[in-house]
């Protein structure tokens, strides 16, 4: 009887409506709100959108808020994670966390959050069930102390939204749910005069001043902070990579002597110099690496004579001369005139009217051929003397090897992946402590490897510029491509300006402001020399040939005189007897001495 009564009462209690609210009704509003947020974000966010879900509880259970959200997200990438400290930077578009109570290991979760590389500006929504004030503060502080900035805490039944402002350290609460367009507030829009610590390195190659890349970065960072109503403290770190080691400099740039974390370091860091730490930001600037070599040298005087024609043309010309000599030697009675001196110089031994038809035909063809050949040669020679010719510029690493052009680098400091470039390594000399920024003037002998922006500005420096030719003395190695260097900038982990840092750098790079600031920094390092370089009014180069530029003509004249005098002396000696030759040399000794002295002076001077 009692058992039957108990069953009837229990059945009546369970069948009575609204006595106990079904479990899933607690999540109806929260699940609808979360799905609406996810779908809204997936529509407006460019690129790939993915959402992460996590439930903080001691042991997995079914029927949580996450279980009611997942089935309604068709077509949206989603991940249910336990956050086991991923080894790479992860950037979920949205992260939804559900907290039922504090029966989970808070310290373990805190360590996992700290070790993860999730960025500070990741959008996070934390739904939590009603609980006492003290436990709720514990898990709220869990997210705040880790450094997550865009965290919205939503209490379920009654609904209440909480948002923490990092700069002012204030918690703002509002009954109900926020509109979607007001849900996440960018805390870096107004920094309320907060002071940020910025470090930069001086040492080898910097002349105790901020380096060129650091100067451009500083202009950008300074402008960013001022526009966001922030302040800064700029600290100079005296550290040399060769003297102190990279790890030591790395630590000094990240932490001050007062154990403060620097928000930003202006020193660029390369990929292989990074240690296993998430405190860095990938630069948006394409740092293209480049090799420059000395421009081809001027041709020697004798090289100028051979420059108008190619090797093939010269071979054909010499073959024609030898062929003419061979024909005259084989048929001495057929040709009355010299087949070389008559077409080239016009020296005629017998009138052409008295020669055979064969000789007239051969000589006429040779005269026409040599006329066009000499006309082209004379034109080319004059043109070469007007614009003095140079050896072709080096275009590949093989050209550098053939010409003995070497590149001096400190492989411990310079961009590290260059040690893996088997093509360039044969021309590299490791010089400890070397930096091309120590002396902006190129030596004209070695090649240089570095950032494209730096090298192009240095190539336009007055001592590296040929004003007569109106061109730089160094040229880019055209047929060698090293690629872009991967540059990183040290930043404070989960800094409040991390998002603004990334967006403003990308904007400055795309608009050309960073490149402009680099050029301005170079101009400041050149000082008054750059003003002289820019303000120098270059007079129009005179197109009239001067005495030195006519060196090939003087050399030809001296050689012609020498040959003429030699022929003249030979003919005179042949026509005189021995006694008359002695008298001739006594009378003409002074003349010959002066002539040969004059000739050899010209010959050696222009050579």
């Amino acid at each position: 009887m009692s058992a039957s009564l108990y069953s009837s009462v229990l059945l009546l209690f369970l069948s009575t409506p609204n006595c106990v609210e079904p479990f899933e009704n607690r999540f109806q509003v929260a699940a609808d709100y979360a799905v609406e947020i996810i779908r809204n974000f997936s529509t407006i966010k460019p690129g790939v959108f993915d959402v992460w879900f996590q439930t903080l509880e001691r042991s997995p259970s079914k029927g949580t808020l996450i279980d009611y959200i997942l089935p309604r997200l068709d077509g949206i990438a989603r991940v249910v994670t336990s956050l086991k400290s991923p080894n790479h930077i992860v950037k979920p578009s949205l992260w939804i966390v559900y907290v039922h109570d504090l029966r989970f290991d808070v310290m373990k979760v805190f360590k996992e959050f700290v070790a993860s590389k999730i960025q500070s500006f990741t959008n996070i929504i934390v739904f939590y069930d009603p609980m006492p004030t003290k436990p709720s503060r514990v898990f709220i502080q869990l997210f705040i102390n880790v450094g997550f900035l865009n965290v919205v805490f939503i209490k379920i039944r009654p609904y209440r939204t909480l948002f923490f402002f990092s700069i002012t350290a204030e918690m703002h609460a509002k009954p109900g749910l926020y509109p979607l367009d007001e849900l996440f507030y960018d805390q870096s829009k107004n920094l309320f005069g907060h002071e940020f610590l910025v470090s930069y390195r001086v040492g080898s190659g910097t002349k105790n001043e901020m380096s060129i890349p650091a100067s451009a970065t500083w202009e950008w960072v300074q402008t960013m902070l001022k526009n966001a109503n922030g302040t800064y403290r700029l600290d100079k770190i005296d550290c040399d990579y060769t003297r102190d080691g990279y790890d030591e400099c790395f630590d000094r740039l990240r932490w001050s002597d007062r154990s403060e974390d620097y928000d930003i370091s202006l020193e660029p860091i390369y990929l292989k110099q990074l240690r296993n730490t998430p405190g860095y930001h990938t630069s948006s600037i394409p740092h293209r690496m480049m090799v420059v070599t000395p421009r081809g040298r001027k041709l020697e005087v004798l090289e100028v004579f051979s420059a108008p024609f190619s090797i093939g043309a010269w071979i054909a010309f010499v073959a024609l001369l030898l062929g003419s000599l061979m024909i005259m030697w084989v048929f001495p009675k057929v040709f009355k005139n010299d087949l070389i001196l008559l077409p080239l110089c016009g020296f005629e031994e017998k009138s052409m009217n008295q020669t055979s038809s064969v000789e007239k035909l051969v000589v006429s063809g040779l005269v026409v051929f040599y006329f066009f050949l000499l006309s082209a040669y004379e034109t080319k020679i004059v043109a070469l003397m007007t614009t003095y010719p140079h050896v072709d510029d080096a275009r590949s690493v093989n050209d550098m090897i053939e010409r003995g052009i070497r590149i001096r680098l400190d492989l411990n400091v310079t961009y590290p992946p260059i040690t893996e470039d088997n093509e360039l390594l044969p021309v590299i000399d490791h010089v400890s402590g070397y930096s091309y920024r120590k002396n902006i003037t190129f030596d004209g002998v070695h090649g240089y490897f570095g950032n494209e922006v730096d090298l192009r500005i240095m190539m336009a420096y007055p001592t590296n510029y040929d004003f007569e030719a109106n061109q730089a003395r160094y040229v880019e190695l055209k047929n060698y491509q090293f690629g872009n260097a991967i540059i990183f900038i040290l930043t404070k982990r989960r800094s409040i300006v991390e998002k603004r840092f990334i967006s403003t750098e990308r904007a400055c790079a795309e608009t050309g402001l960073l490149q402009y600031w680099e050029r301005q920094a170079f101009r400041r390092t050149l000082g008054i020399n750059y003003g002289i370089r820019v303000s120098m009014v270059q007079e129009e180069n005179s197109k009239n040939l001067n005495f030195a530029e006519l060196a090939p003509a003087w050399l030809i004249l001296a050689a012609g005189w020498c040959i003429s005098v030699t022929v003249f002396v030979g003919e005179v000696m042949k026509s005189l007897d021995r006694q008359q030759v002695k008298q001739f040399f006594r009378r003409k000794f002074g003349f010959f001495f002066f002539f040969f002295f004059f000739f050899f002076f010209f010959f050696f001077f222009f050579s």
Side-chain angles (χ1 to χ4, degrees), residues 60-306:
S61 61
K62 294 183 179 181
T64 64
L65 174 64
I66 307 300
D67 297 324
Y68 290 92
I69 298 176
L70 291 176
R72 302 168 61 181
L73 300 179
D74 294 337
I76 297 177
R78 48 196 182 273
V79 177
V80 180
T81 178
S82 59
L83 202 67
K84 294 296 183 181
S85 304
N87 294 322
H88 58 281
I89 296 179
V90 288
K91 296 183 288 186
S93 306
L94 181 63
W95 186 15
I96 294 181
V97 181
Y98 171 66
V99 181
H100 178 57
D101 51 36
L102 284 183
R103 289 182 297 177
F104 60 89
D105 191 340
V106 176
M107 288 305 300
K108 179 182 178 182
V109 174
F110 177 78
K111 291 178 181 179
E112 289 181 351
F113 283 178
V114 171
S116 70
K117 296 183 180 181
I118 297 177
Q119 295 175 318
S120 62
F121 53 86
T122 301
N123 295 326
I124 305 174
I125 301 178
V126 180
F127 291 94
Y128 66 97
D129 286 328
M131 60 182 68
T133 303
K134 187 174 181 180
S136 63
R137 287 179 178 176
V138 170
F139 80 82
I140 289 176
Q141 289 297 323
L142 170 67
F143 286 89
I144 294 174
N145 293 337
V146 169
F148 296 138
L149 299 175
N150 282 351
V151 186
V152 176
F153 302 94
I154 299 178
K155 180 184 176 183
I156 301 176
R157 308 278 299 188
Y159 285 94
R160 189 163 178 256
T161 304
L162 296 88
F163 187 87
F164 181 77
F165 282 89
S166 178
I167 291 292
T168 59
E170 297 177 351
M171 180 69 75
H172 293 261
K174 176 184 176 181
L177 299 174
Y178 267 77
L180 298 185
D181 56 347
E182 301 178 9
L183 190 58
F184 295 105
Y185 175 77
D186 186 4
Q187 299 192 38
S188 63
K189 286 184 177 180
N190 190 345
L191 300 177
F192 298 99
H194 180 75
E195 183 181 71
F196 291 83
L197 305 183
V198 183
S199 65
Y200 72 95
R201 185 184 69 89
V202 297
S204 175
T206 60
K207 297 182 179 180
N208 204 34
E209 298 175 356
M210 190 179 294
S211 64
I212 303 301
S215 298
T217 306
W218 171 234
E219 292 287 346
W220 148 51
V221 171
Q222 180 181 214
T223 304
M224 175 192 70
L225 294 178
K226 286 183 177 179
N227 290 338
N229 194 25
T231 59
Y232 54 82
R233 190 188 79 201
L234 187 62
D235 288 353
K236 178 172 64 177
I237 309 300
D238 184 8
C239 187
D240 188 275
Y241 289 145
T242 305
R243 180 189 66 214
D244 304 310
Y246 180 77
D247 287 345
E248 177 67 21
C249 294
F250 184 91
D251 291 336
R252 292 185 189 177
L253 291 170
R254 292 191 61 204
W255 300 293
S256 68
D257 296 336
R258 289 169 282 187
S259 299
E260 298 172 313
D261 287 349
Y262 284 110
D263 292 277
I264 300 171
S265 174
L266 305 181
E267 181 71 11
I269 306 297
Y270 300 118
L271 178 62
K272 286 200 170 183
Q273 294 172 326
L274 287 175
R275 297 186 293 184
N276 188 21
T277 174
Y280 60 85
H281 156 65
T282 307
S283 176
S284 302
I285 310 172
H287 284 73
R288 179 176 177 266
M289 310 304 287
M290 185 175 69
V291 175
V292 296
T293 59
R295 192 177 291 275
R297 61 174 177 82
K298 287 186 176 182
L299 295 179
E300 302 291 342
V301 174
L302 295 179
E303 292 175 325
V304 172
F305 291 129
S306 62

